[in-house]
Amino acid sequence: MKIWVDGELRDAASAAVSVLDHGLTVGDGVFETLKATNGTAFAMDRHLVRLARSARGLGLPEPDPARVRQACLAVLDANPAPYGALRITYTGGIAPLGSARGDGEPTLVVALERTARRPETTAIVTVPWPRNERGALAGLKTTSYGENVVALARARERGASEAVFGNTRGRLCEGTGTNVFVVLGSELVTPPLDSGCLAGITRQLVIDWAGAREADLPLDVLDVADEVFLTSSTRDVQAVHRVDDRELPGAPGPVTAKAARVFAERSAADGNP
């Protein structure tokens, strides 16, 4: 594997960042994960815009989009794969061993992980720890992922692939790396951004392409929803067949199946919507 680290491609064995990098010591960094298919990354422009927005929100200088794009294309070209996840990581760079930032340049790393396509359906669990919709990192895609690690471990212990959070008001928010949609009757709904959820790239495209609407929802809507599905860059639209101990027989349901079909068709027709 070839990995881009601060301006050059390196073998995985020699690709390294400093142990004093602020992304390592305190999680001071942002990232994006793009779906890569046969050497092409999906929706790159949207991802680069969100990377810059997350950097601004964290107080980091905005990355040069041309440089990030160059790094992505170099990694895609050096690592041919039919399907994978292209990861862009951008951190505060070398800094003191504490919360204060240093004066050095930010660190940019781009790597590609070969992956398999997700199954058509999955199981999810809800977790007792809330997302703080009013926190400094709300809505930012940062490398401060500790609470996601704990929640996802809980999910996997229970035979699920994703954990779903409510927020501090007990409203439905998001998964550790996904957005959540529910079907109520024939209506497709997802939590609004002020719930604290990430402005997912796939989430927005599903809203635009499948006619979903945003609505404030209680976390326990998952107990009564007719259908549930997840969206993310690596899952696309993935139906949920179990929420905690509740089975959703027949998943994917008709609304989910239509959303998945529309997303597949539209994304195949335009790789950079």
Side-chain angles (χ1 to χ4, degrees):
M1 180 189 295
K2 297 288 187 180
I3 299 174
W4 178 282
V5 182
D6 283 338
E8 62 179 328
L9 286 170
R10 304 179 189 176
D11 293 330
S14 61
V17 297
S18 170
V19 295
L20 299 178
D21 191 280
H22 226 213
L24 172 65
T25 56
V26 298
D28 180 24
V30 296
F31 76 100
E32 287 290 320
T33 301
L34 293 72
K35 179 177 68 174
T37 307
N38 295 319
T40 300
F42 179 67
M44 186 177 289
D45 285 352
R46 289 177 181 255
H47 280 282
L48 294 185
V49 167
R50 190 173 64 181
L51 182 72
R53 184 168 66 244
S54 292
R56 287 196 306 271
L58 200 59
L60 293 173
E62 288 189 32
D64 178 357
R67 180 170 180 256
V68 179
R69 190 184 301 273
Q70 176 191 11
C72 291
L73 295 177
V75 169
L76 288 166
D77 184 61
N79 299 281
Y83 195 73
L86 183 70
R87 162 81 180 227
I88 306 166
T89 306
Y90 180 74
T91 78
I94 296 175
L97 292 174
S99 297
R101 290 197 174 108
D103 298 324
E105 292 295 314
T107 298
L108 175 65
V109 176
V110 179
L112 180 73
E113 179 182 40
R114 295 189 181 201
T115 60
R117 292 185 182 274
R118 302 282 183 144
E120 185 179 34
T121 72
T122 193
I124 64 175
V125 300
T126 54
V127 291
W129 311 292
R131 279 281 199 250
N132 182 0
E133 70 278 13
R134 296 177 297 169
L137 303 185
L140 305 181
K141 197 168 181 68
T142 78
T143 59
S144 297
Y145 245 47
E147 67 177 22
N148 290 332
V149 172
V150 172
L152 190 57
R154 167 75 68 93
R156 290 179 173 171
E157 288 170 0
R158 299 184 178 185
S161 75
E162 181 61 306
V164 172
F165 296 93
N167 62 21
T168 63
R169 297 179 289 111
R171 314 306 283 180
L172 180 63
C173 186
E174 65 180 351
T176 67
T178 62
N179 291 109
V180 184
F181 286 75
V182 299
V183 178
L184 303 172
S186 61
E187 189 173 26
L188 182 55
V189 188
T190 194
L193 297 182
D194 63 13
S195 70
C197 70
L198 183 73
I201 304 301
T202 308
R203 170 190 180 274
Q204 187 60 54
L205 292 173
V206 169
I207 290 173
D208 294 343
W209 293 347
R213 72 176 181 91
E214 296 176 314
D216 183 46
L217 300 164
L219 180 59
D220 62 10
V221 73
L222 297 174
D223 296 335
V224 298
D226 299 295
E227 302 174 38
V228 180
F229 67 80
L230 306 175
T231 61
S232 77
S233 293
T234 55
R235 293 177 190 253
D236 291 341
V237 174
Q238 186 180 37
V240 171
H241 64 254
R242 177 169 58 85
V243 179
D244 294 324
D245 295 325
R246 181 193 177 214
E247 298 289 339
L248 283 80
V255 178
T256 301
K258 180 179 179 181
R261 182 175 65 253
V262 169
F263 184 84
E265 291 171 353
R266 295 287 296 268
S267 60
D270 185 358
N272 195 28

